[in-house]
Amino acid sequence: MKSKYIYFAISLGFLLHLISCSPSNRSTKMRPSPDEVKASDVEFKSLEEYTTNEELWFSVRVTVKSNLLSTKHIGVELQGIDKDGFEIEEFHLESDFAPGESKVLSDKTFLKTKLLQSVVRWQIGSIYYSE
């Protein structure tokens, strides 16, 4: 009798897992075409007043223009690239955009000084949106 209950509990758990993973129950990130969303003018500024020997604080901003036909939550992935061309750091800037809206997304953060010194350039990695 115990084995029937265990089998039922496992089956029910698996069914609930499938339901929770269905597309209607998770936020799906879509990739826009280059004409739908444009990101440009990535800028970084060191925040010397907050910097220590171990951590370097900096501010970053990127200009984003939405040409989507409805309001969407748009995100931009920024990648830190080392001298060999490998991504060694990344972070994301996100906001809601109305159709045709353009805005500057910005944030401040810190990285370990040694890691940040290995970054030779920052680039836009990907752009995505969700409802």
Side-chain angles (χ1 to χ4, degrees), residues 2-130:
K2 263 186 176 177
S3 64
K4 284 185 180 181
Y5 289 118
I6 292 172
Y7 177 76
F8 176 75
I10 291 171
S11 298
L12 181 60
F14 182 69
L15 179 63
L16 290 174
H17 171 73
L18 288 177
I19 291 170
S20 70
C21 291
S22 71
S24 62
N25 289 330
R26 65 174 183 233
S27 176
T28 303
K29 291 184 178 177
M30 310 283 286
R31 301 251 185 242
S33 74
D35 293 334
E36 291 177 317
V37 178
K38 295 181 188 246
S40 61
D41 303 326
V42 179
E43 296 180 85
F44 289 83
K45 178 183 176 184
S46 176
L47 302 174
E48 300 292 332
E49 60 272 21
Y50 302 110
T51 298
T52 68
N53 287 339
E54 295 175 12
E55 298 174 341
L56 181 64
W57 281 84
F58 62 97
S59 180
V60 60
R61 66 182 176 192
V62 62
T63 302
V64 179
K65 166 97 170 107
S66 171
N67 293 316
L68 295 166
L69 300 177
S70 60
T71 299
K72 303 287 184 197
H73 187 81
I74 297 175
V76 177
E77 173 197 38
L78 300 174
Q79 301 171 332
I81 307 298
D82 72 4
K83 65 181 175 60
D84 298 318
F86 289 94
E87 176 186 333
I88 59 172
E89 187 59 51
E90 75 172 50
F91 59 96
H92 300 257
L93 298 172
E94 300 180 346
S95 184
D96 292 331
F97 283 78
E101 185 174 13
S102 181
K103 64 171 99 169
V104 175
L105 302 182
S106 64
D107 198 5
K108 69 174 187 268
T109 189
F110 70 92
L111 290 173
K112 297 291 183 187
T113 302
K114 190 172 182 175
L115 177 65
L116 193 58
Q117 289 170 344
S118 298
V119 174
V120 295
R121 76 176 187 282
W122 291 92
Q123 67 186 26
I124 295 168
S126 64
I127 301 171
Y128 51 90
Y129 68 88
S130 58

